[in-house]
Amino acid sequence: MNSTFPYFTKIQKIILFSILAIILIAIFNYLAELIPPFLFAFIFSYLLSPLVDRLEFIFQKRILAVIALYIGIAIGIIFLFNYIIPPLVNEFNELTSNLPFYGSFIKEWSINLKNNVETNFPIIQQLNILDNIQKQIQTIIFDLAQRIPKLFFSTFSTISYLLLIPVILFFFLFQGPDIKMSFFRIIPNKYFEVLIYLFYSIGNKIGNYLRGIFIETLIVGSLSFIILLTLGANYSVLLGTLAGIMNLIPYLGPVFGAIPAIIVLYLQFKSLNIVLYIIIGFGLIQMIDNIVLKPIIYSQSVDIHPLAIFIFLLIGGMVAGVWGLILAVPIAGILKVGISILAKEIKFRIKFNKSLESLNLNKTPSN
Amino acid sequence: MTNAFWDDIFKYSKKKSDIQILEDIPVFKGLSRFELNKVAKMLHLRSYKKDEYIFHEKEPGESMYIIKSGEILITKNKNQKETVISNLTEGSFFGEVSLVDEDVRSANAKAITDSEVLGFFRADLMNLIDRNPRLACFILYQLSTVIGKRLRLQTET
C-alpha cells in the first residue's frame, strides 16, 4: 500500500478511501438496474467457459470458438421455440384455465374431510378451526392461480436483459482470460500466489457444482417427462419441467414436484392405480438421482447440514419467493465451497506466518 | 532522481521482449513464435522490490517463475537460518517442479535487486490441456526433460 500511495498519511488515506467508497456506492445505487445483466452474464460465462476452452481446441482461435458456441446456442433456441416452448405454453394456458376445476376438487375434498373430522371430534366444530383452514386454503389457491404465470415469466422477461446479456456474455467469454489477467495484476505481491490459487480452486469447484446441478435438473426433468408421457398424463412437458426444477430443493422438492402430477393424473383418470404408478415412477427417479446421478455428477459432494438447508430455504423463500427457494441450495453450496476453502487457507496462513516470525527472530544479520 | 540527460532513457526499448526471453527457456524450447505468443498471454508479470520474497519455503507452490530482469536469491531454511543455495539472474527460471506436483515449496525465493518476474501457473497449464492439448503436452514433455536432467545431475554429484 505504501508503494502505491506514498504521498499520503494514514488518515488522509482513510479519508480518501472512504470518499471513494461513498462515490462507488452512489454509482452502484444509480446503476443498480445494470448489475443483474452483468451478474447473469458472469454466471453464464462461468458455466460456459470450459465449453469455449474445448471449442478453442477445435477452432484454434478463441473468437471463433465463441462464435461457434453462439451459433450452437442459436440453433438450440430455435429448436426450443419450435418444439419445446409451444407445447409448454399451451399446457400452461390449459392448466391455468382448468385451475378452478382443480380448486373445486380440493374444496370438495376438504369439505368431506371437514365433515368427517367434525362428526368424530365435535369440539373442533365449536372452535371453527376447520372453516378457517378451508378459507385459508381457498385464498392460497386463488392467489397462486393468479400468480403462477407471473412467477415464471416476469423475472426473466425484460427485453433489455435479453439483449444485454448475450452482448456482455460475448465479451466475458471472448476476453475472459484477459480480464482475469488484468484483475490479477492489481493484487499485491504478498497475496498474489495465494489469491490465484484460491481463485482457481474455488472457481473450479463452484463451476463443477453448478454444471452438476444443471445436468442433474435436465436428467431428472426429462426422466419425469418420459414417465408422465408413458402414463399418458395431460401436461407432461410442464409437469416434467416442474419436477426437474423442484428437484433443486432438497428433501421437500421432489414431493412438491410430484404433488401437482399426482393431482392432475388422479383427476384425469379418476383411479388410485395411476397415483400408485406415478409415485413408484417418481420414487424410481429419486433412486436413480440419489444412487447413480449424484455420486457421478458431484465428484466431491457438497454436504450441507439438513438444518442449514432449511434455514437457507426459509431465507431464500423470504427474500425472493419461489426463485429464492429454487436458488437457495445452489447459493448455499457456492458459499459452503468458497468458505471452506478460504477457511482452510486462512488457518494454514496463520500457522505459516507464525513459523516465519520465529524464523525471522532467530535470523542472523549476516547473510 | 532521474536525469533525462545522462540516464539511459532508451533502456526499455533495449530490453528483450517476453517472447525473446521465453525462447531461451528450456521448458518452452522448440515452440513456434505463434505458440510462444499463446504462452506469453498466460504469464503474469510481477515486479518485486529489493528484499521482497517471491515465495517462502513450505508454502504451497503453484507456479514457475522466469526472471525478466533483476536478481533472485534461492535460499533454504536450515537450523533456523537461511542458507543460500543459488543466485539467479535474468533469463533464468525457478520453481518449475511446482508445475507438476502440488507439494509445498522446498526453498525461499527472494529478490536481491528490484526485479521483474514472469509467473506461469499450474492452473493455467491445466487449463491449456483443454484449450490446446498439443501445446500443453509439448510443454509438459519439455518440463519433464528439465526435471529429469536436474535429477540426473543431482544423482551424479
Side-chain angles (χ1 to χ4, degrees), chain A residues 3 50 52-58 60-62 177-178 180-181 184-190 192-194 196-197 200 345 348-349 352 355-356 358-360 362-364 367, chain B residues 34 38 41-49 52-63 65 75 77 80-84 104-105 110 121 123-124 127 130-133:
Chain A
S3 56
V52 177
D53 288 345
R54 277 177 180 77
L55 287 173
E56 196 185 335
F57 161 54
I58 300 168
Q60 288 298 316
K61 290 250 176 228
R62 197 169 177 87
D178 298 337
K180 244 191 268 171
M181 291 296 274
F184 288 146
R185 200 160 295 152
I186 53 173
I187 302 172
N189 282 338
K190 209 176 166 189
F192 170 63
E193 204 164 310
V194 187
I196 289 192
Y197 163 69
Y200 278 116
E345 187 64 27
F348 168 77
R349 285 286 143 186
F352 184 71
S355 72
L356 269 189
S358 70
L359 192 76
N360 283 338
N362 294 325
K363 209 195 284 178
T364 43
N367 190 17
Chain B
F34 179 70
K38 276 194 171 173
K41 271 190 184 165
M42 301 192 304
L43 298 178
H44 299 261
L45 177 65
R46 310 294 302 177
S47 46
Y48 291 86
K49 292 255 173 295
E52 204 173 347
Y53 279 92
I54 293 155
F55 53 74
H56 292 279
E57 193 178 331
K58 298 216 169 72
E59 228 176 358
E62 294 295 321
S63 67
Y65 288 97
T75 62
N77 300 335
Q80 309 279 10
K81 266 190 233 164
E82 275 190 80
T83 43
V84 177
V104 293
R105 299 277 190 199
K110 181 181 172 187
F121 276 74
D124 288 324
N127 185 235
D130 280 344
R131 287 163 57 192
N132 194 338

Side-chain angles (χ1 to χ4, degrees), chain A residues 28-53:
Chain A
F28 272 121
N29 206 10
Y30 277 112
L31 301 180
E33 277 180 23
L34 269 181
I35 296 171
F38 272 94
L39 203 69
F40 279 117
F42 183 72
I43 293 168
F44 286 141
S45 78
Y46 224 103
L47 295 176
L48 291 173
S49 64
L51 204 63
V52 177
D53 288 345

Side-chain angles (χ1 to χ4, degrees), chain B residues 50-96:
Chain B
K50 187 174 183 279
D51 286 337
E52 204 173 347
Y53 279 92
I54 293 155
F55 53 74
H56 292 279
E57 193 178 331
K58 298 216 169 72
E59 228 176 358
E62 294 295 321
S63 67
M64 168 184 129
Y65 288 97
I66 297 153
I67 306 171
K68 197 180 175 189
S69 67
E71 234 178 312
I72 308 288
L73 204 64
I74 307 290
T75 62
K76 236 177 149 64
N77 300 335
K78 260 184 198 162
N79 308 324
Q80 309 279 10
K81 266 190 233 164
E82 275 190 80
T83 43
V84 177
I85 303 174
S86 179
N87 193 350
L88 301 171
T89 52
E90 205 178 303
S92 306
F93 62 99
F94 55 94
E96 74 278 3

Side-chain angles (χ1 to χ4, degrees), chain A residues 156-221:
Chain A
F156 291 106
S157 71
T158 322
I159 292 167
S160 62
Y161 279 19
L162 292 182
L163 288 174
L164 266 177
I165 292 175
V167 176
I168 301 168
L169 180 62
F170 184 87
F171 286 105
F172 274 178
L173 284 176
F174 172 42
Q175 304 206 300
D178 298 337
I179 295 172
K180 244 191 268 171
M181 291 296 274
S182 48
F183 167 71
F184 288 146
R185 200 160 295 152
I186 53 173
I187 302 172
N189 282 338
K190 209 176 166 189
Y191 312 106
F192 170 63
E193 204 164 310
V194 187
L195 280 180
I196 289 192
Y197 163 69
L198 287 179
F199 182 88
Y200 278 116
S201 52
I202 292 174
N204 252 342
K205 273 207 167 168
I206 290 175
N208 282 340
Y209 179 61
L210 288 181
R211 275 186 289 278
I213 282 178
F214 180 73
I215 294 168
E216 191 195 345
T217 306
L218 207 68
I219 293 175
V220 169

Side-chain angles (χ1 to χ4, degrees), chain B residues 137-153:
Chain B
C137 248
F138 201 76
I139 292 173
L140 282 170
Y141 169 69
Q142 293 291 2
L143 198 64
S144 51
T145 315
V146 168
I147 294 170
K149 202 172 255 174
R150 283 197 198 278
L151 202 65
R152 192 191 293 261
L153 283 174

Side-chain angles (χ1 to χ4, degrees), chain A residues 127-141:
Chain A
L127 292 173
N128 236 359
I129 293 173
L130 285 175
D131 274 332
N132 281 337
I133 290 176
Q134 200 191 325
K135 263 182 206 162
Q136 288 290 331
I137 287 176
Q138 266 180 25
T139 45
I140 287 172
I141 284 172

